[in-house]
Amino acid sequence: MTTPEDRPQQPAPDANPFRPPAPEAALPPYPAAPYPAAPYSPAQYPPAPYPMPLPGGLPPKKRSGLKLALRIGLPLVFLAVVIVAGLTASTTRSSNVGDCLKGNADNADSVTSVACGPEASYKIVGKVPDQSKLALTFGGGCDEFPTATVAYWEGVESSKGTLLCLEDVKNPGKGMPQVGDCVKGDLSDADHTEKVPCGPEASYKVAGVEDGGALGGLTKAFCTKVPSAAASMEWKRQGSLSSKVLCLEDLKNPDNRKPAVGECMATGANDELHLAPCTKGAAKVLGQVDGLSKMDGLSKTVEEICKDFPGADQAASWSMQGSLAVTTFCMQSVKK
């Protein structure tokens, strides 16, 4: 018979059943392969050490050598291009009068220095320093060099440069005709007009030269100081908008000119006025009125137009070949 003393003693109930078990009571973790199944000893398999950060922090990421080279090289290349372009633009290819050039003056990149000879296109006949490109376009810096056919500018766009006045050695004689020179050809196009000796071959003789401005001779060719002029022609240098107006005498028709006060005119073929003897049927010029259009001559009376010339009974408009400028003559009929 078993007595209570002989029975196994049960542990006393825990006062706090939710208290975590003591550390020494925890079961060892189940080892993972390739650890042996048993026996397991923590001292035999210590935990792996945790990697410690480097004193200087994380190492910097390596940059691509190509990207770094591009970042450094491209700005240097751009700077070099700018410097070379600036030096090229500001350096004249030739600076001496008498030197020769070749190329197309309308394309500055094609113009280079060359020995004067068969290869040359232009010869420098004049040089004007401290000129802006705008002044070249609207000015007449080469007017003092009559043989110059091309006005060529070299320099930096935003600054002043040098104006070179060039003579076309491939086409000699293409310079602007001077007073006393004779020409022939189509007056509407200077490229089709050439200087010739004053003789049977010539059609016109230069009697005067006027400034045509940037608008051309068709609106500027009055030739008021050249009464003998019967025609006009616009002439300008290559590379410039500024022009000159040549006042020309008609060598083939000497009576084809603006009449002077006291001279007489008569109506000829196609109702055109021409100089005529002061006989019956002609009209004597009493004076002239400038600035009127042909429409004014149709819409106004002779008295209105010629109010400053008493006795005038006729008014006629006259204009030179190659000009839109109109001169109105106030005339009195010759009765005898």
Side-chain angles (χ1 to χ4, degrees):
M1 180 174 182
T2 303
T3 63
E5 290 79 14
D6 297 331
R7 296 176 184 173
Q9 297 294 320
Q10 298 295 329
D14 195 343
N16 185 3
F18 300 100
R19 186 177 63 183
E24 58 272 13
L27 295 176
Y30 188 81
Y35 294 157
Y40 172 75
S41 172
Q44 183 180 0
Y45 302 101
Y50 188 80
M52 297 299 290
L54 296 176
L58 296 177
K61 295 182 179 179
K62 293 184 178 180
R63 295 185 178 181
S64 170
L66 177 60
K67 292 183 179 179
L68 183 60
L70 289 177
R71 291 182 182 179
I72 297 176
L74 288 180
L76 292 178
V77 171
F78 177 78
L79 180 60
V81 170
V82 171
I83 293 175
V84 172
L87 292 176
T88 303
S90 61
T91 303
T92 56
R93 293 172 175 83
S94 178
S95 59
N96 299 321
V97 174
D99 289 347
C100 291
L101 306 172
K102 71 174 182 178
N104 182 2
D106 291 328
N107 180 9
D109 293 336
S110 69
V111 178
T112 57
S113 299
V114 69
C116 293
E119 192 179 358
S121 302
Y122 307 102
K123 183 178 181 180
I124 301 175
V125 295
K127 176 184 175 183
V128 185
D130 298 327
Q131 295 290 307
S132 67
K133 193 170 186 179
L134 185 62
L136 159 70
T137 304
F138 294 98
C142 291
D143 288 348
E144 59 182 301
F145 308 104
T147 61
T149 57
V150 179
Y152 180 75
W153 183 88
E154 285 188 335
V156 180
E157 292 286 343
S158 59
S159 182
K160 290 186 176 180
T162 301
L163 175 62
L164 300 179
C165 304
L166 310 180
E167 179 182 354
D168 188 346
V169 296
K170 297 290 187 183
N171 300 284
K174 280 295 184 180
M176 186 181 75
Q178 303 298 302
V179 174
D181 290 341
C182 292
V183 298
K184 71 173 185 178
D186 183 4
L187 298 183
S188 63
D189 188 356
D191 290 337
H192 296 155
T193 304
E194 59 179 319
K195 289 188 290 186
V196 294
C198 293
E201 186 181 4
S203 300
Y204 301 94
K205 185 177 182 179
V206 180
V209 179
E210 294 184 353
D211 289 329
L215 296 179
L218 289 179
T219 58
K220 292 288 186 179
F222 288 101
C223 293
T224 55
K225 298 181 180 180
V226 190
S228 62
S232 64
M233 182 183 75
E234 181 187 17
W235 190 93
K236 59 184 177 181
R237 290 180 176 85
Q238 181 182 343
S240 176
L241 294 179
S242 177
S243 65
K244 296 290 184 180
V245 175
L246 307 183
C247 303
L248 307 174
E249 294 177 355
D250 188 344
L251 298 179
K252 301 294 185 182
N253 302 285
D255 291 337
N256 178 23
R257 61 174 175 84
K258 184 186 297 185
V261 174
E263 291 185 313
C264 293
M265 302 182 72
T267 303
N270 301 321
D271 293 329
E272 293 181 353
L273 290 173
H274 61 89
L275 290 174
C278 290
T279 58
K280 187 177 181 178
K284 181 180 290 187
V285 177
L286 302 179
Q288 70 181 47
V289 179
D290 294 319
L292 297 179
S293 66
K294 291 184 178 181
M295 186 59 66
D296 292 329
L298 297 176
S299 61
K300 295 182 179 181
T301 65
V302 174
E303 290 75 14
E304 292 174 329
I305 296 174
C306 300
K307 59 183 179 180
D308 296 330
F309 303 100
D313 57 7
Q314 294 185 37
S317 297
W318 186 89
S319 61
M320 290 185 300
Q321 178 184 351
S323 175
L324 296 180
V326 176
T327 299
T328 302
F329 293 102
C330 296
M331 303 179 294
Q332 185 179 45
S333 300
V334 177
K335 303 297 184 181
K336 298 180 180 180

